[in-house]
Amino acid sequence: MPCSRKSSLCFEYGIKPIFAAGSPRDTGGWHAKQLCRKSIKGKPVPPDRRALNRFVIAYEPIWAIGTGKTASSLRAQEMHAHIGNVLAAQYSHDLAQSISILYGGSVKAANAKDIFGQPDVDGGLVGGSSLVATEFSEIINSLKK
């Protein structure tokens, strides 16, 4: 099923789709930004552009997922700001501000507060750490501002 059909079905049934953007290697800088820009521009756009704020973007450095390696909080901030800038250039600043950008990639209690404390990181996708109640509780508490 084409992505645009999948996103249309999500909207029809009240589901908020999450689209991932990331890079396969810890290259950082220009290369990682170009890969994120390309993956964002390839995402399906709903027929009504006002529905764009019903999407969630997740910055997931592929090299960090399930590896125990995590992007530094500064790297996460840099990439989240870049994604926001791509969205603003493609649509509008106001619309970009209304789209949540989450960090995913080995989020743990030990790094969650630093990552979630960055100005452009709106939250996180938590995998394996969500399976341990005390770890997950600490991650949730790190979101409190």
Side-chain angles (χ1 to χ4, degrees), residues 50-116:
R50 292 173 297 182
L52 278 167
N53 66 350
R54 292 170 44 198
F55 281 80
V56 172
I57 303 286
Y59 168 60
E60 293 190 285
I62 297 164
W63 53 266
I65 300 170
T67 64
K69 298 177 184 176
T70 306
S72 71
S73 58
L74 294 177
R75 170 73 59 81
Q77 168 56 29
E78 175 186 13
M79 295 305 292
H80 281 241
H82 174 70
I83 291 167
N85 290 336
V86 169
L87 294 169
Q90 191 168 348
Y91 304 109
S92 74
H93 177 73
D94 289 340
L95 185 61
Q97 292 294 312
S98 71
I99 298 172
S100 294
I101 305 173
L102 309 179
Y103 174 81
S106 296
V107 174
K108 304 179 213 48
N111 60 30
K113 188 173 184 175
D114 287 337
I115 291 171
F116 298 159

